[in-house]
Amino acid sequence: MITESQLEQLALSWFQEIGWAHVSGPDIAPDGPAPERTSYNEVVLRGRLREALERLNPQLPAEAIEKALHTATTVHEPTLVKRNHAFHRMMLDGVPVDWSTDPGSGPGRKVHDHARLLDFQDPDNNDFLIVDQFTITGTKQPRRPDLIAFVNGLPLAVIELKNPVDADADVWHAYQQLQTYKEQIDPLFTPNAALVVSDGINARIGSLTAKPEWYMPWRVVKHEDDKPSVEFELETLVRGFFDRTLLLDYLRYFILFEKDGDRLIKKIAGYHQFHGVREAVKATVIASRPMSTGTV
């Protein structure tokens, strides 16, 4: 059996093999050798997000880029799930921005547009980064999730691992750890698309509001015919769910929010739902709403 540290290193290698870059959290910490954060409170890699906004929105002036950066990183809603919902809409539809044209000799004109956060069409036009040991200032103490998956500087997935050889530290202990994180470092979860828990052999994926019974395994890498016979469910999940092209489709078409009485709940598709209808859903959404990037 392997240790938790070895499992983490394996997971990092699987991410890198499918095209994700890797940096270590201490290296990009505020006091690290290559800082990408100004404080341990920051959960977004702002430099990477700014670069993505500039790359994906060449029509926008610098003023609009800065407004988009500010709006995307300061979502104001009374609850975490509502902030998550608001961010999800921006991820799909773009961040609304406006600016005034140069008035010259007359009055300026107000221009309205949307800044794209992701390029859903071309995976290579996005920045995919997996980071280990990313320390965040918590309400009670610093917290350090095992792995965070960033796309264009946005923390879209959190992966919590437990020791495969510790019978008292299974995937559900990892689930409880994520609940603690949501309470103590909740800004990390405003952009979140998925939560993953694993002890290596077992791995489950769920949404921000999912109870344990709604955390599901990910059984395939590309499609139903290639169910792998690998030792670790986590490897299948990483190679399958986090495939860059598939992940972008998942973010775009397979996440939705529903009202349950007075509660807002977030639902994400299981692997069988995703692989079973992916192409049909894409075709339907594109045909019915060619200018929309909404959920189904």
Side-chain angles (χ1 to χ4, degrees):
M1 264 296 184
I2 63 172
T3 66
E4 182 177 334
S5 176
Q6 290 170 326
L7 176 62
E8 184 176 297
Q9 293 305 309
L10 274 175
L12 291 172
S13 71
W14 298 328
F15 270 100
Q16 292 174 83
E17 288 170 8
I18 61 172
W20 290 65
H22 164 245
V23 297
S24 180
D27 287 344
I28 60 172
D31 50 0
E36 295 193 33
R37 309 158 68 194
T38 59
S39 81
Y40 282 100
N41 289 314
E42 290 186 358
V43 296
V44 172
L45 302 178
R46 294 174 64 89
R48 291 177 186 262
L49 178 55
R50 181 182 284 106
E51 290 174 0
L53 286 167
E54 293 171 347
R55 181 173 64 253
L56 302 181
N57 304 279
Q59 81 282 9
L60 297 182
E63 174 189 356
I65 294 294
E66 291 304 316
K67 283 186 176 181
L69 179 65
H70 176 75
T71 300
T73 55
T74 56
V75 181
H76 296 293
E77 291 290 347
T79 65
L80 174 56
V81 66
K82 288 185 176 181
R83 291 197 300 275
N84 188 254
H85 187 204
F87 181 87
H88 184 73
R89 295 307 318 172
M90 289 192 294
M91 183 174 67
L92 296 183
D93 299 333
V95 182
V97 292
D98 60 65
W99 70 94
S100 297
T101 60
D102 185 354
S105 58
R109 180 173 59 90
K110 201 74 164 180
V111 181
H112 300 272
D113 204 341
H114 287 78
R116 291 193 299 161
L117 294 171
L118 302 177
D119 186 337
F120 289 105
Q121 304 297 331
D122 183 3
D124 291 336
N125 208 21
N126 300 293
D127 173 37
F128 292 85
L129 181 72
I130 187 72
V131 181
D132 60 301
Q133 305 302 315
F134 188 87
T135 300
I136 302 164
T137 302
T139 56
K140 295 183 178 181
Q141 66 186 68
R143 292 293 182 179
R144 190 170 60 240
D146 291 319
L147 301 175
I148 302 177
F150 291 86
V151 183
N152 294 342
L154 298 164
L156 297 188
V158 179
I159 302 166
E160 189 66 14
L161 306 174
K162 289 301 176 185
N163 192 338
V165 299
D166 186 348
D168 296 323
D170 60 9
V171 292
W172 305 121
H173 285 82
Y175 169 85
Q176 291 301 330
Q177 188 69 53
L178 288 178
Q179 307 318 300
T180 299
Y181 291 161
K182 286 194 292 184
E183 292 176 1
Q184 298 185 12
I185 50 174
D186 76 328
L188 173 65
F189 298 92
T190 294
N192 183 265
L195 301 172
V196 174
V197 294
S198 180
D199 59 7
I201 295 174
N202 302 293
R204 299 291 184 271
I205 186 168
S207 77
L208 186 70
T209 61
K211 301 298 184 184
E213 59 268 25
W214 290 108
Y215 271 67
M216 300 295 180
W218 197 266
R219 300 293 191 191
V220 301
V221 174
K222 294 289 187 182
H223 46 73
E224 281 287 345
D225 296 331
D226 72 352
K227 291 183 179 180
S229 56
V230 297
E231 183 178 0
F232 301 115
E233 286 186 359
L234 181 60
E235 181 177 0
T236 303
L237 194 153
V238 169
R239 294 187 184 277
F241 182 82
F242 289 101
D243 173 272
R244 299 182 307 154
T245 299
L246 298 185
L247 177 62
L248 290 171
D249 281 349
Y250 197 97
L251 296 173
R252 191 177 188 185
Y253 299 115
F254 289 89
I255 297 174
L256 60 83
F257 291 79
E258 290 182 349
K259 292 285 289 185
D260 180 14
D262 294 331
R263 294 175 58 243
L264 182 65
I265 59 174
K266 182 177 185 177
K267 294 184 177 181
I268 63 176
Y271 83 93
H272 56 292
Q273 298 163 318
F274 175 65
H275 287 282
V277 300
R278 175 178 168 233
E279 293 304 324
V281 167
K282 287 174 63 178
T284 301
V285 173
I286 292 170
S288 63
R289 293 186 290 172
M291 298 303 292
S292 172
T293 55
T295 57
V296 296

